[in-house]
Amino acid sequence: MAITAALVKELRERTGAGMMECKKALVESNGDIEAAIEAMRKSGQAKAAKKSGRTAAEGVVMVAIAEDGKRGVQLEVNCETDFVAKDSNFEAFAEAAVATALNSDAADVEALAALPLAGDAETTVEGARAALVAKIGENVQLRRLVRFDDVEGALYSYSHGARIGVVVELVGGDATLGRDIAMHVAASKPLCVSAEQVPAETLEKEREIFKAQALESGKPEAIVEKIIEGRVRKYLEEITLLGQAFVKDPDQSVEKLLKQAGAQVRRFSRVEVGEGIEKKTENFAEEVMAQVRGS
């Protein structure tokens, strides 16, 4: 069967693949476009599997909140380079994936991957991911999914570019306060809402460090405990949302700001692209030197 330009164009439009790849697939399937699509999907899955081991520390953090403010999700979608993170195909996949998450009860990225992609009931999220890998040539991964369900107050969010996404559950207050608190969390990176939520083992480790520092400085043991308690209070102010100075008005704490508004923060989540991923650093000069020495 003759492979016409119109047939190649149709396959390109349906798969997003390159012209030569489409023509090759049509030749191999003897012009059967459905068979060509199936073969290309299988090829794409194979390519995706090969690339799955490559470090993906760039990407986006997507935030979606239901209209009533009672449900919300954060989704981190990773790729290998900042260039691909700004690609329209990657962005469209991330938007569809977070919409899928919001309108489902998926508890983690594994459950999300198995669901039909929003806007394309015939393709799963995982199928769309594998196809995207084949198309753009980079490893793409769903890394983290955070859910907010059965919210008592309302959810508010703030996104810093596409790299940091914050969701805050606020009881009382208003949308302006909710966004301000979310913006504060993005900038100040508190570990938890209040001192009561700091793990006992974390606090004990800090106490040991403060004690060693105080004794090392030669302070009398009689006042060491007072020094430790003072440093612990300072530490809690630095790491808790309520203890921190409000970024838009450092003269007052977040706790005072909330009290003035008659509001409470139930919980928050701050997700930043690539947190905890060890990025590979390439030193091309050393790489070339190693090749020279080896030759």
Side-chain angles (χ1 to χ4, degrees):
M1 178 180 175
I3 308 302
T4 64
L7 202 58
V8 173
K9 181 183 177 185
E10 183 182 350
L11 185 56
R12 286 191 70 187
E13 289 174 349
R14 290 180 61 178
T15 63
M19 183 177 70
M20 295 309 295
E21 187 177 355
C22 288
K23 187 172 182 180
K24 180 183 177 184
L26 285 166
V27 169
E28 292 176 350
S29 68
N30 197 29
D32 186 332
I33 196 166
E34 297 302 330
I37 289 172
E38 184 178 349
M40 289 171 79
R41 281 183 171 171
K42 289 178 180 177
S43 173
Q45 288 167 355
K47 289 178 182 177
K50 286 181 181 178
K51 290 181 170 66
S52 64
R54 289 173 15 184
T55 302
E58 296 296 333
V60 295
V61 175
M62 306 298 294
V63 175
I65 295 176
E67 288 186 12
D68 62 4
K70 299 295 184 181
R71 290 181 299 111
V73 292
Q74 292 166 294
L75 179 66
E76 181 183 359
V77 186
N78 293 148
C79 56
E80 296 177 45
T81 64
D82 185 51
F83 177 76
V84 163
K86 297 172 182 174
D87 176 77
S88 60
N89 297 290
F90 179 83
E91 289 177 344
F93 168 71
E95 288 172 0
V98 78
T100 304
L102 179 64
N103 295 308
S104 73
D105 58 359
D108 50 39
V109 292
E110 289 76 17
L112 175 61
L115 297 175
L117 186 70
D120 184 0
E122 295 182 0
T123 305
T124 63
V125 173
E126 171 58 24
R129 184 199 69 83
L132 182 62
V133 171
K135 184 174 184 178
I136 65 178
E138 281 196 13
N139 184 18
V140 173
Q141 294 291 332
L142 301 174
R143 185 178 180 224
R144 283 183 286 180
L145 173 62
V146 180
R147 298 199 67 88
F148 286 76
D149 294 312
D150 302 320
V151 171
E152 180 183 347
L155 297 177
Y156 302 99
S157 68
Y158 173 75
S159 295
H160 187 72
R163 296 190 61 83
I164 299 173
V166 174
V167 175
V168 172
E169 180 181 347
L170 186 70
V171 177
D174 56 20
T176 299
L177 179 63
R179 180 175 169 79
D180 280 349
I181 296 297
M183 188 183 297
H184 173 94
V185 171
S188 299
K189 301 172 69 171
L191 296 183
C192 53
V193 175
S194 64
E196 292 75 24
Q197 295 176 352
V198 178
E201 58 270 23
T202 300
L203 211 51
E204 189 56 38
K205 282 182 182 178
E206 293 301 318
R207 285 182 185 277
E208 289 175 6
I209 293 169
F210 296 148
K211 184 175 183 178
Q213 290 172 343
L215 292 172
E216 184 69 24
S217 67
K219 301 288 184 185
E221 286 213 35
I223 65 169
V224 164
E225 280 304 315
K226 290 183 179 179
I227 293 173
I228 292 170
E229 290 308 311
R231 290 184 178 177
V232 166
R233 282 195 300 272
K234 180 69 174 173
Y235 172 71
L236 291 173
E237 287 176 2
E238 292 172 351
I239 67 166
T240 62
L241 174 63
L242 297 183
Q244 290 178 341
F246 180 44
V247 289
K248 293 177 77 172
D249 181 8
D251 290 334
Q252 70 172 332
S253 67
V254 173
E255 183 173 21
K256 287 182 179 178
L257 175 71
L258 290 167
K259 281 184 177 178
Q260 288 172 3
Q264 290 181 310
V265 172
R266 282 282 185 266
R267 56 178 169 155
F268 68 83
S269 173
R270 182 187 187 278
V271 177
E272 184 170 350
V273 168
E275 284 174 313
I277 298 177
E278 186 175 343
K279 297 183 183 181
K280 181 182 178 183
T281 56
E282 296 180 337
N283 188 316
F284 293 109
E286 288 182 5
E287 191 176 310
V288 171
M289 188 59 71
Q291 290 179 356
V292 170
R293 287 171 182 157
S295 61

